[in-house]
Amino acid sequence: MKDKAILIGWIIGLLLLISLIWILTAPLQSHYLLRTVNNILINNEDPRRLSEPVKQPRSKAEPLGYWFSISGSTDKMFVFGVFQDGILVPLGAIVSSNGSVKQLLPLSAHAVQSFEIIPKSILQMYVSRIEEGYKQ
């Protein structure tokens, strides 16, 4: 019984440590993600640039991702990932000021290839979850 309690204590301690590290490094993660997405937009000769992370209240419907404002626009971009054949495909959703998704952008070379393969019903599910999360 004592050994089980020690094991459970170690597991709980590790989970708490991992959670704390994840929470404390979120601003750093969003900063590097902003730089990476801007580099992708530059390489694709897209005139849009992300300017800063946006604090958006999270809803249960919204997929895990980061919100960014777009320079010179009232639109925002939500950067998230979709799993396709066991591989994470990074996508960006351009969301207008009224909360509707204008466009989905693949954010890597693999994402460009996988974007056509992903079923439209899966993409529509993510679009509706993003729109629902934005409105709340």
Side-chain angles (χ1 to χ4, degrees):
M1 191 65 152
K2 183 178 176 182
D3 292 340
K4 287 183 182 180
I6 292 172
L7 178 63
I8 290 172
W10 270 100
I11 292 171
I12 290 172
L14 286 174
L15 289 176
L16 287 173
L17 181 65
I18 290 168
S19 300
L20 184 64
I21 290 171
W22 182 264
I23 291 169
L24 293 177
T25 61
L28 186 63
Q29 293 171 14
S30 65
H31 172 73
Y32 282 119
L33 186 59
L34 179 135
R35 287 180 45 197
T36 302
V37 172
N38 277 338
N39 285 337
I40 291 167
L41 294 174
I42 290 168
N43 290 339
N44 291 336
E45 298 176 359
D46 192 325
R48 295 175 283 215
R49 299 292 176 268
L50 303 183
S51 60
E52 62 183 354
V54 176
K55 298 270 189 209
Q56 191 81 1
R58 284 203 37 86
S59 71
K60 290 182 181 180
E62 186 178 293
L64 186 62
Y66 290 96
W67 286 96
F68 297 99
S69 61
I70 299 176
S71 295
S73 174
T74 59
D75 296 343
K76 295 179 183 175
M77 180 183 273
F78 183 68
V79 179
F80 64 103
V82 174
F83 277 99
Q84 175 64 29
D85 296 330
I87 298 173
L88 184 66
V89 178
L91 297 175
I94 306 294
V95 182
S96 67
S97 58
N98 66 359
S100 63
V101 174
K102 289 182 176 180
Q103 180 182 13
L104 288 176
L105 299 172
L107 296 175
S108 71
H110 178 73
V112 171
Q113 295 171 351
S114 299
F115 193 67
E116 299 300 321
I117 300 170
I118 298 173
K120 299 300 179 204
S121 60
I122 300 289
L123 293 176
Q124 186 57 43
M125 179 191 68
Y126 277 96
V127 166
S128 63
R129 287 175 65 191
I130 292 167
E131 289 174 347
E132 185 179 323
Y134 184 84
K135 292 174 184 173
Q136 291 182 356

